[in-house]
Amino acid sequence: MSFRDDNEDGRGGGGGDLRKPFLHTGSWYRMGSRQSSMMSSSAQILRDGSISVVLCVLIVALGPIQFGFTCGFSSPTQAEIIEDLGLSISEFSVFGSLSNVGAMVGAIASGQIAEYIGRKGSLMIAAIPNVIGWLAISFAKDSSFLFMGRLLEGFGVGIISYVVPVYIAEIAPQNMRGGLGSVNQLSVTLGIMLAYLLGLLFSWRVLAVLGTLPCLILIPGLFFIPESPRWLAKMGMTEEFEASLQVLRGFDTDITTEVNEIKRSVASSGKRSTIRFADLKRRRYWFPLTVGIGLLILQQLSGINGVLFYSSNIFRSAVHILLDLIPSSINSASWIHPDWISSSNAATFGLGVIQVIATGVTTWLVDKAGRRLLLIISSIGMTLSMLIVAAAFYIEGITPVDSQLFSIAGTLSLAGLVAMIICFSLGLGAIPWIIMSEILPVNIKGLAGSIATLANWMTSFGITMTANLLLTWSSAGTFTIYAIVSAFTVVFVSLWVPETKGRTLEEIQSSFR
């Protein structure tokens, strides 16, 4: 058995016309030096290499913002949607989970779509159903439109979750790739935070309309950024490939060495038209596949989605306990507002802010400290944090509610939860996606990337669906299980995950041969 190589572009056959850029970049970056002197100041800024790459990343980062907004939408809107549309709790649970179902479908298609029509075209295809989905939710009169809109959003998010980290990895210079790659996860957390914040201020229908904005800005923005030079090289579009790379590196930069490296890599991977399943036993394939898929599965098996789902209840109970510990003279002070503090929406917004700040730190650190070190520190921190939460829940279960020890346990659960989210954001949140986009061989990246993304979403779905059941069984036991998984992640990273900091994509992928 065999499957078609993603690098089989049909350059000489009739099928080659299928693999053309879905969106052609504007002609501004092909101008010569004499014409460039007549360009506007904004276009001149775009000609600077580092600024150009950053602007490209900021434009495609609208996709992950949409991703995060979709994830965060159901939390502040639950009570209002249930009341307005007369839904049951189980129907709303279906609504919340349908985004995962749609994302699985999008993940299956994402790799092949990205290979056939390019990274930019894939993002366009992802943006359109997202806009339609949000409008369907906003104008929903019953559950059918609500469910259809959520499925469409999920489909777009499934494509975005694969294409954006791959595009960023393929356009970024090696010394900036980690930091720019972390912008993907930073944008997701920003989207979640915005959904929580705007959910405090607007009705659910208005919030759904606001959800269209990231993609409505992304769609025209895609016409002003270059296609991935590595994808263009793979498709045999030499002129477009060199023009794209030149604008990304700056018009005064000599790109000869990088061009030759990419050409050699593409030529090496293109020697065979098919890859047999038996060939996956070769280290150059099975090792990066194992690392990429393993990291994305372990990211979700850490229980992060289940923990975030339950975090509002922990915040509410812990804050009430803390308020009981504060002397009445202080507790009654005007600056304390227990109703606002204990609001689940305000609590989740607070978690969103924490995630954004911690992920921002990762963006700054990842190209300095390296991927492996941050992953190990992140996983160790999560292991210890969840053991603290597990111990706190165990103590709460065996002590009287009115005891001092019970109050201390409530405080520990709050501190452990916050520490766990910070540790996740410092490494395990962003870096698995960065490494996946860096290490997968170019000739199987489409198929392997789809499988890795699908595995991530399937695991996320399983964790979300089982979190309530596990927490009902035993809160302490649930967090102990998550801690064990995080401890295994430390071992996995230490033994298997290579350091990719400061290396070109071609150097990383050739090291597996």
Side-chain angles (χ1 to χ4, degrees):
M1 295 180 65
S2 65
F3 58 83
R4 291 176 65 84
D5 188 341
D6 290 338
N7 192 57
E8 188 180 3
D9 55 21
R11 293 168 199 166
D17 291 339
L18 290 174
R19 296 196 175 191
K20 297 292 183 183
F22 187 68
L23 296 176
H24 284 279
T25 307
S27 60
W28 61 267
Y29 68 81
R30 295 190 179 202
M31 295 180 179
S33 58
R34 180 176 300 178
Q35 291 170 293
S36 69
S37 64
M38 302 173 63
M39 295 169 66
S40 66
S41 59
S42 60
Q44 289 284 3
I45 291 174
L46 284 172
R47 289 175 70 94
D48 181 83
S50 60
I51 295 179
S52 176
V53 170
V54 170
L55 287 178
C56 291
V57 170
L58 291 178
I59 289 173
V60 299
L62 291 164
I65 288 176
Q66 174 71 83
F67 177 175
F69 204 91
T70 299
C71 295
F73 177 78
S74 59
S75 179
T77 59
Q78 177 173 342
E80 199 175 359
I81 291 178
I82 288 174
E83 181 180 353
D84 286 357
L85 299 183
L87 302 182
S88 65
I89 295 294
S90 60
E91 285 176 320
F92 188 84
S93 297
V94 171
F95 167 73
S97 64
L98 280 177
S99 61
N100 276 347
V101 176
M104 291 181 206
V105 178
I108 293 171
S110 61
Q112 294 306 307
I113 292 174
E115 293 304 314
Y116 272 89
I117 64 174
R119 312 327 188 195
K120 289 169 55 181
S122 302
L123 290 175
M124 175 68 80
I125 287 178
I128 292 172
N130 261 296
V131 172
I132 297 172
W134 282 117
L135 292 177
I137 291 174
S138 179
F139 293 101
K141 300 297 182 183
D142 54 36
S143 61
S144 58
F145 262 67
L146 205 66
F147 292 168
M148 180 188 72
R150 193 69 168 172
L151 276 171
L152 287 171
E153 286 175 15
F155 176 78
V157 162
I159 297 175
I160 287 169
S161 62
Y162 166 73
V163 175
V164 170
V166 168
Y167 177 80
I168 293 175
E170 290 179 345
I171 69 169
Q174 65 189 61
N175 63 320
M176 299 173 62
R177 194 175 59 242
L180 292 176
S182 298
V183 171
N184 176 59
Q185 182 66 18
L186 178 63
S187 300
V188 173
T189 60
L190 184 61
I192 294 172
M193 186 190 73
L194 287 173
Y196 292 159
L197 175 62
L198 295 175
L200 293 171
L201 305 175
F202 298 102
S203 69
W204 68 273
R205 293 187 187 275
V206 175
L207 190 63
V209 172
L210 293 175
T212 64
L213 292 180
C215 282
L216 287 177
I217 300 171
L218 173 64
I219 291 171
L222 290 172
F223 289 93
F224 296 95
I225 63 175
E227 180 56 87
S228 162
R230 286 175 169 84
W231 182 81
L232 292 170
K234 185 180 174 184
M235 295 300 105
M237 304 175 198
T238 305
E239 183 182 353
E240 291 88 345
F241 148 56
E242 293 184 6
S244 175
L245 188 61
Q246 188 72 72
V247 70
L248 289 166
R249 299 295 178 260
F251 279 75
D252 297 326
T253 303
D254 183 1
I255 60 170
T256 305
T257 301
E258 190 170 1
V259 165
N260 291 334
E261 283 183 0
I262 294 173
K263 285 182 177 179
R264 279 196 299 270
S265 176
V266 169
S268 173
S269 64
K271 290 178 181 177
R272 299 184 59 177
S273 61
T274 58
I275 298 291
R276 300 183 183 279
F277 283 105
D279 292 335
L280 295 180
K281 296 178 181 178
R282 297 167 61 187
R283 188 178 189 276
R284 65 177 296 188
Y285 295 131
W286 71 257
F287 187 84
L289 274 171
T290 301
V291 173
I293 295 173
L295 280 177
L296 288 176
I297 290 177
L298 288 171
Q299 179 196 61
Q300 295 299 329
L301 285 179
S302 68
I304 184 65
N305 283 335
V307 170
L308 290 176
F309 179 82
Y310 193 64
S311 61
S312 295
N313 291 334
I314 298 176
F315 261 97
R316 272 200 301 253
S317 60
V319 168
H320 281 302
I321 292 170
L322 288 174
L323 289 174
D324 290 339
L325 293 174
I326 297 174
S328 59
S329 59
I330 301 176
N331 198 349
S332 60
S334 59
W335 55 272
I336 293 180
H337 302 281
D339 291 338
W340 186 88
I341 294 175
S342 60
S343 162
S344 61
N345 290 345
T348 49
F349 171 66
L351 287 180
V353 173
I354 291 170
Q355 281 187 287
V356 170
I357 294 172
T359 308
V361 172
T362 303
T363 303
W364 175 67
L365 280 177
V366 68
D367 278 320
K368 296 178 174 64
R371 283 62 151 164
R372 272 172 51 88
L373 179 60
L374 286 180
L375 276 175
I376 291 172
I377 292 174
S378 172
S379 301
I380 291 174
M382 288 183 67
T383 303
L384 297 176
S385 300
M386 284 189 283
L387 286 176
I388 290 172
V389 176
F393 276 126
Y394 177 76
I395 292 171
E396 287 181 356
I398 61 173
T399 56
V401 176
D402 57 351
S403 68
Q404 185 73 17
L405 189 57
F406 186 90
S407 300
I408 294 173
T411 305
L412 279 177
S413 66
L414 174 60
L417 174 70
V418 172
M420 180 249 181
I421 292 171
I422 291 173
C423 291
F424 176 83
S425 301
L426 284 175
L428 205 55
I431 294 178
W433 291 105
I434 296 174
I435 292 180
M436 182 274 292
S437 65
E438 291 176 328
I439 67 173
L440 293 180
V442 65
N443 56 325
I444 62 167
K445 180 173 280 188
L447 177 65
S450 291
I451 294 172
T453 306
L454 175 63
N456 182 270
W457 280 106
M458 289 182 67
T459 311
S460 171
F461 180 74
I463 291 295
T464 303
M465 294 299 290
T466 58
N468 270 340
L469 179 63
L470 286 172
L471 288 164
T472 301
W473 161 67
S474 170
S475 296
T478 301
F479 279 94
T480 301
I481 292 172
Y482 293 158
I484 291 171
V485 173
S486 294
F488 175 75
T489 304
V490 177
V491 177
F492 182 87
V493 173
S494 300
L495 296 180
W496 289 68
V497 178
E499 181 56 71
T500 58
K501 180 186 74 169
R503 302 164 70 189
T504 66
L505 296 183
E506 290 69 36
E507 289 172 345
I508 295 168
Q509 290 157 17
S510 66
S511 67
F512 300 130
R513 294 175 182 173

